[in-house]
Amino acid sequence: MNKIVANPTQELAEFLVDFRYEDLPDHIVARTEDLLLDWFGSVLAGRNARQIQILEGFAAAMGPKGGSSDIFVSRKRTSPFFAALINAASSHYAEQDDVHNGSVFHPGTVVFPAVVAAAQERGSSGRDLIVAAVAGYEAGIRIGEALGRSHYKIFHTTGTAGTLAAAVGVARILGADAGQMLNALGSSGTMAAGLWEFLRDGADSKQLHTGKAAADGLLAAYIALDGFTGARKIIEGEQGMTAGMSQDADPTLLVDGLGSRWAIGETSFKFHASCRHTHPAADALLALMTKFQLTAQDIVEVIAHVHQGAIDVLGPVTNPQSVHQSKFSMGFVLAMIALNGRAGVSEFTDTALNDPAVRDFSAKVKMVLDTRVDQAYPKRWLGHVEAVTRDGQRLEMQVDTPKGDPENSLSRAELEEKAMRLAVSQGGATVEEMQGIIAGIWKLRDMADTKIFFNV
């Protein structure tokens, strides 16, 4: 039975302003640096994307001609608000940004854009940035968990909980007290939004969700510092987020283990450049084909055993019409694995989208709800596939820990390689520029001023 917490939002807000850099274990500091590099590579991979160029045009028309904060894909400067908007949208484009399993939430794509933009404006230190990022992750992950599985069926948690996560991170950069943090949560919570309906149309809303979450969170934090008030129980109140956006909410999760459990350390890196719901099956199919030495031509059917969340998100994408939409097709992603042995950023192209071999294999794939897999979700994302071969064999493979999870994480060498690949894929940065960025991030905790650190 869950304990009764009188005002969990307020208790969370007080914790978020009280902890200091010295309270963070070394491995949490290192993990934050890892996640920052992972995010930065994803930002640069959004360069040249139509959706990002549209948002850049909007910022150019509506925002200042210059400013304190970098738009990394264009190497222009603008206000923190517009920098957060564009960098957040861009970092969610390649589908390589981090994810937290239990909350089904992409923290980095909303927290880092807002925090970095504010840190550049304030000239914050590397340690200030680390603390702010940890606070944002802590808040967003806990809020996502509290909203429950029913929330994710309709709402894109990265757009909803992400707005509050960004607000918390920026509020820490600005030096908010507990009352101001609570107000930032209240204002960001009332702006939180993001609906999954866009998947049916292959619409551009996913990047808008992250862009607006980061920018609106930043807005909520800045106005809170000037005395703008927000609801004090925006999460658990009678007309708050849990009341309107969930049927299985548990607000006690907002404060469970505060100070002893650091949620940022539970965050996973994305190994494949596709929706995270495809990753367990992708890992399982790759392992199966490797073990039994199969080619794509040897397989006549693939059955992916999945949790309900995968069906909710991937089910609507039956005939992808764009590269981005193809990353939400289980069939298409498994075709990339079967035909190429990987599903990285370079595999998802217009050529692949229209390749008859890819389409043919994709049609062989179906998803089925597996009770055991579903019961483990979202704490664990199990991969289980069956493959039927041309000679009539029915082969199975299970992967309990997908590549990128904390128990099967990417090494720093692998993170460097991933960030480099993402950065150069669209000409976002040169190899030499990224080498400088990587070296700097590994020394982030000792940096006195982050104002010009991210210039590339």
Side-chain angles (χ1 to χ4, degrees):
M1 186 173 180
N2 291 318
K3 68 176 182 178
I4 297 174
V5 182
N7 191 341
T9 303
Q10 182 171 340
E11 187 175 329
L12 178 63
E14 291 171 353
F15 170 79
L16 293 170
V17 300
D18 283 343
F19 80 86
R20 296 292 178 260
Y21 177 84
E22 291 73 23
D23 298 323
L24 301 176
D26 287 343
H27 73 277
I28 292 299
V29 173
R31 189 68 164 186
T32 307
E33 294 168 338
D34 293 347
L35 291 163
L36 175 60
L37 174 61
D38 194 62
W39 167 77
F40 194 74
S42 286
V43 176
L44 296 178
R47 186 173 184 265
N48 301 321
R50 174 184 56 81
Q51 298 91 328
I52 310 311
Q53 291 176 339
I54 291 172
L55 291 174
E56 285 189 80
F58 174 76
M62 299 294 178
K65 300 301 181 184
S68 60
S69 303
D70 286 302
I71 301 172
F72 296 118
V73 290
S74 66
R75 306 196 182 201
K76 297 177 181 178
R77 285 201 153 196
T78 184
S79 67
F81 181 88
F82 284 110
L85 175 76
I86 297 168
N87 291 332
S90 185
S91 63
H92 206 43
Y93 178 77
E95 291 294 332
Q96 288 265 256
D97 49 306
D98 63 32
V99 63
H100 181 268
N101 287 348
S103 56
V104 201
F105 167 53
H106 299 276
T109 195
V110 289
V111 172
F112 281 121
V115 166
V116 169
Q120 287 189 307
E121 192 263 332
R122 292 299 167 109
S124 303
S125 71
R127 292 190 178 191
D128 290 339
L129 195 154
I130 289 169
V131 167
V134 171
Y137 271 69
E138 194 75 15
I141 289 168
R142 289 172 174 278
I143 293 166
E145 290 174 334
L147 287 168
R149 288 183 60 169
S150 65
H151 176 79
Y152 188 77
K153 188 174 180 67
I154 302 296
F155 294 96
H156 184 196
T157 310
T158 305
T160 55
T163 310
L164 289 82
V168 166
V170 174
R172 275 307 304 248
I173 288 290
L174 302 180
D177 60 28
Q180 292 164 332
M181 181 66 79
L182 195 59
N183 285 328
L185 285 166
S187 290
S188 58
T190 205
M191 293 189 284
L195 297 165
W196 282 118
E197 182 62 24
F198 75 89
L199 286 171
R200 287 169 169 78
D201 308 297
D204 299 329
S205 305
K206 200 162 191 277
Q207 286 73 52
L208 186 62
H209 292 175
T210 57
K212 283 289 286 175
D216 285 348
L218 183 142
L219 165 64
Y222 271 81
I223 63 177
L225 266 289
D226 287 333
F228 201 95
T229 62
R232 301 179 66 82
K233 294 186 177 182
I234 192 63
I235 301 171
E236 77 277 14
E238 292 183 13
Q239 294 176 295
M241 294 179 72
T242 57
M245 295 178 163
S246 178
Q247 287 80 52
D248 62 342
D250 183 0
T252 66
L253 296 177
L254 294 172
V255 298
D256 186 50
L258 280 178
S260 59
R261 171 212 175 194
W262 296 98
I264 194 170
E266 304 163 0
T267 306
S268 301
F269 300 102
K270 289 181 73 174
F271 187 64
H272 308 295
S274 59
C275 175
R276 175 66 171 177
H277 292 295
T278 67
H279 289 208
D283 284 0
L285 180 61
L286 183 59
L288 183 147
M289 294 181 69
T290 300
K291 178 178 179 179
F292 296 103
Q293 298 183 317
L294 300 178
T295 67
Q297 291 70 36
D298 295 325
I299 298 172
V300 297
E301 183 181 20
V302 177
I303 303 168
H305 293 247
V306 299
H307 51 261
Q308 183 63 48
I311 293 173
D312 293 340
V313 173
L314 306 176
V317 186
T318 56
N319 183 25
Q321 297 300 302
S322 68
V323 171
H324 193 262
Q325 196 179 30
S326 73
K327 297 182 177 190
F328 291 81
S329 163
M330 181 67 85
F332 198 95
V333 173
L334 295 193
M336 294 291 96
I337 293 292
L339 292 164
N340 304 305
R342 56 179 290 135
V345 66
S346 60
E347 278 67 54
F348 289 92
T349 64
D350 286 323
T351 300
L353 182 68
N354 298 297
D355 186 339
V358 173
R359 292 286 181 173
D360 178 66
F361 192 93
S362 181
K364 300 176 182 178
V365 177
K366 69 177 181 180
M367 294 186 293
V368 298
L369 179 64
D370 187 305
T371 302
R372 186 183 61 83
V373 173
D374 191 57
Q375 288 174 345
Y377 172 84
K379 291 295 184 182
R380 300 178 66 203
W381 296 39
L382 304 179
H384 181 193
V385 299
E386 296 178 68
V388 180
T389 65
R390 290 195 179 279
D391 60 6
Q393 295 184 80
R394 181 175 289 271
L395 307 172
E396 294 189 52
M397 182 62 65
Q398 180 170 313
V399 171
D400 292 337
T401 308
K403 180 70 171 175
D405 273 2
E407 301 83 7
N408 187 19
S409 192
L410 303 185
S411 66
R412 282 203 159 178
E414 289 176 312
L415 288 170
E416 290 179 6
E417 191 275 332
K418 176 187 172 185
M420 186 73 73
R421 184 175 68 251
L422 288 169
V424 303
S425 67
Q426 297 297 319
T430 66
V431 170
E432 292 74 19
E433 287 170 335
M434 280 304 294
Q435 287 172 338
I437 289 291
I438 290 167
I441 288 177
W442 297 156
K443 299 176 182 177
L444 180 64
R445 68 189 75 182
D446 300 319
M447 192 170 296
D449 187 342
T450 58
K451 187 173 293 185
I452 61 171
F453 166 61
F454 292 97
N455 280 353
V456 290

